[in-house]
Amino acid sequence: MSLTPYQEDLGVLRFITAGSVDDGKSTLIGRLLYDSKSVLTDQLSALARAKHKRTAGEDIDFSLLTDGLEAEREQGITIDVAYRYFTTARRKFIIADTPGHEQYTRNMVTGASTAHAAIILVDATRVSEVEGKTELLAQTKRHSAIVKLLGLQHVIVAINKMDLIDYSETAFNAIRAAYLELAQRLGLQDVRFVPVSALKGDNIVYASERMPWYQDEPLLDMLESLPVAQTGGELRFPVQLVARQDGSHADDFRGYMGRVESGAVRLGQTLRVLPAGRNATVAEIVGPRGLLEEAFAGQCVTIRLTEDVDVSRGDTFVSADSGLEPSRKLAADICWFDEDALAPQRKYLLKQATSTVYVKVGSVDTVLDVSTLSHGTDKTTLAMNDIGRVQLSLQKPVAADTYDANPATGAFVLIDEATHHTVAAGMIRALAA
């Protein structure tokens, strides 16, 4: 029997909510979970009695469904990334509710790094008019720029709090036009718009009768229908751990554990081990339930090789005919997280896939001005939450791709060796030997 559209399994969609403080991100997710019948009865009872709720009487404060930290509930802001899971008849969802405050931009980057789509919230009551033009908040621009840098496939702009502006179509169209201009300047491709009231439930799960002028889908229908590009491409298998068993016996087992980040690996396939460049043949592929003939992207497996070659954590298996070569110089876009500014010529630790190497920041080429969206060349460092293009020199070569070609092997973080703080997240744009 053929499947109807509503029976079709569209897989898992990972998405984030982003935007400025008090745009209603947590409330929107809470309303989405509530209206899709994904909240348990005891959770609802607890929310109605919550001491930090900001609604009157028995009304539910939906933001408390995601604001789990006591500090978040006291202050009424989101600090950490909160993950929630729910399922509809059409697909499964993993939501990351990310902070809007500029101080916690690093947490927003963390949530967005594994997402397929972003819901950018815009508070319809907080946009301003500057010389006759609708002006978006700076944090809305910053989060949109990060979404572009991270290469998220889809952007849904939810223009929230429509109930506070009498569900005005004129106001919606003005904000839509302002964001379309921003999207064009950033290079965002698939951008959709929906007017919502997270508090009242308009256009979240059900179409709103108070906005008959809006003829498109409500938010949940949009999320259910978003296509998710499948991971393909060449084999990339970063080795996480070398597994040994019965090392003193003749039947010594030595396997290389990790996750297939892209492509596929087959029994008998000839691999090249990078960065050393040695070839070896796949003797066994062991999955959680036993031996496999083949493993695909996303699977965690152990690979045993026919030849005895030197392989350790941080090495990467690629196909023998791959053109990938190890790189020691990188051009990358980074978002700086630390309160202490970037110090060019200082050494940091770069963690990319499973490899960790020392790196020196050679220069800062450009820094994004969030207000004007221009790339300035007058700065020589990056302050907290700055986004810029930098040149990196590695102590030893790594097997990496550009972020556009393969996000799993094209992303990295920088770590301060003294404090062990993660000071930046980066996306590789160009490589050199």
Side-chain angles (χ1 to χ4, degrees):
M1 182 179 68
S2 61
L3 295 176
T4 67
Y6 283 92
Q7 291 173 310
E8 182 183 1
D9 184 3
L10 296 175
V12 177
L13 178 76
R14 303 177 68 105
F15 69 92
I16 67 163
T17 55
S20 192
V21 179
D22 289 332
D23 280 347
K25 296 179 292 299
S26 298
T27 302
L28 180 137
I29 291 180
R31 170 63 76 172
L32 187 62
L33 294 172
Y34 178 78
D35 283 358
S36 62
K37 307 297 188 290
S38 300
V39 183
L40 299 176
T41 303
D42 58 341
Q43 287 180 295
L44 291 176
S45 300
L47 290 177
R49 299 190 305 269
K51 66 177 180 178
H52 295 303
K53 79 185 189 78
R54 290 165 288 168
T55 54
E58 294 298 314
D59 291 342
I60 298 170
D61 183 353
F62 292 107
S63 67
L64 298 182
L65 282 169
T66 55
D67 288 342
L69 299 178
E70 185 69 14
E72 293 177 321
R73 298 190 176 209
E74 287 177 347
Q75 300 178 61
I77 63 173
T78 301
I79 296 173
D80 201 0
V81 181
Y83 292 94
R84 292 294 180 268
Y85 310 86
F86 76 103
T87 304
T88 67
R90 298 189 68 185
R91 79 184 328 163
K92 300 179 181 68
F93 297 93
I94 301 175
I95 315 169
D97 181 24
T98 63
H101 199 286
E102 184 177 350
Q103 180 181 351
Y104 303 111
T105 298
R106 58 187 179 272
N107 293 348
M108 180 268 170
V109 175
T110 301
S113 63
T114 58
H116 302 116
I119 299 175
I120 304 287
L121 271 86
V122 177
D123 184 341
T125 68
R126 298 172 67 205
V127 295
S128 57
E129 292 289 328
V130 179
E131 297 180 354
K133 291 185 63 177
T134 300
E135 185 69 22
L136 301 171
L137 296 176
Q139 194 69 339
T140 302
K141 296 178 182 179
R142 178 179 282 107
H143 283 191
S144 299
I146 292 170
V147 163
K148 170 58 180 175
L149 287 174
L150 291 171
L152 271 65
Q153 299 169 27
H154 312 283
V155 175
I156 298 175
V157 182
I159 299 174
N160 192 25
K161 304 186 184 180
M162 293 296 294
D163 55 307
L164 299 182
I165 58 169
D166 296 325
Y167 301 99
S168 168
E169 181 181 6
T170 301
F172 170 79
N173 287 334
I175 297 170
R176 183 179 184 276
Y179 195 92
L180 280 174
E181 182 181 345
L182 171 65
Q184 185 176 12
R185 296 177 69 179
L186 290 175
L188 294 171
Q189 298 298 320
D190 182 19
V191 182
R192 310 166 190 223
F193 296 85
V194 55
V196 303
S197 168
L199 186 63
K200 303 293 185 182
D202 294 286
N203 284 333
I204 303 296
V205 172
Y206 306 107
S208 172
E209 296 179 355
R210 291 180 278 244
M211 288 179 277
W213 47 265
Y214 176 74
Q215 297 296 311
D216 212 334
E217 300 173 309
L219 179 63
L220 182 60
D221 286 359
M222 282 188 183
L223 292 170
E224 286 185 324
S225 61
L226 289 180
V228 176
Q230 299 300 315
T231 305
E234 294 187 359
L235 171 66
R236 298 290 185 267
F237 183 85
V239 176
Q240 293 188 15
L241 182 67
V242 180
R244 295 295 307 275
Q245 182 178 346
D246 298 331
S248 60
H249 291 71
D251 59 346
D252 178 24
F253 177 90
R254 182 168 55 171
Y256 306 104
M257 307 177 74
R259 183 174 66 182
V260 183
E261 296 293 356
S262 63
V265 58
R266 295 173 297 280
L267 197 63
Q269 181 179 355
T270 302
L271 305 178
R272 189 153 58 99
V273 183
L274 295 178
R278 294 178 293 271
N279 284 1
T281 307
V282 178
E284 278 183 347
I285 304 173
V286 185
R289 299 184 180 180
L291 298 178
L292 302 172
E293 291 285 331
E294 191 171 13
F296 302 94
Q299 288 184 275
C300 296
V301 296
T302 300
I303 296 175
R304 190 173 66 82
L305 302 176
T306 302
E307 296 82 5
D308 287 328
V309 294
D310 181 13
V311 179
S312 58
R313 175 181 169 84
D315 290 342
T316 300
F317 293 165
V318 301
S319 58
D321 58 355
S322 172
L324 182 67
E325 294 296 336
S327 303
R328 293 189 65 164
K329 294 184 180 297
L330 312 174
D333 291 324
I334 67 173
C335 182
W336 192 256
F337 297 158
D338 205 44
E339 294 181 358
D340 294 331
L342 166 69
Q345 305 305 321
R346 176 182 171 183
K347 280 188 176 180
Y348 295 94
L349 287 171
L350 179 144
K351 188 177 187 308
Q352 174 266 339
T354 59
S355 62
T356 303
V357 300
Y358 282 103
V359 63
K360 183 181 291 186
V361 181
S363 64
V364 177
D365 296 341
T366 60
V367 180
L368 175 67
D369 185 324
V370 176
S371 299
T372 64
L373 299 181
S374 61
H375 294 270
T377 58
D378 55 334
K379 289 189 176 181
T380 59
T381 186
L382 295 175
M384 187 170 72
N385 296 323
D386 276 348
I387 300 168
R389 175 71 56 89
V390 299
Q391 300 294 326
L392 304 174
S393 298
L394 280 60
Q395 185 183 50
K396 60 181 182 180
V398 297
D401 297 278
T402 62
Y403 188 84
D404 291 338
N406 192 326
T409 53
F412 62 88
V413 295
L414 295 181
I415 300 169
D416 187 307
E417 184 185 19
T419 63
H420 300 289
H421 290 169
T422 299
V423 296
M427 289 70 68
I428 300 170
R429 302 305 181 191
L431 307 107

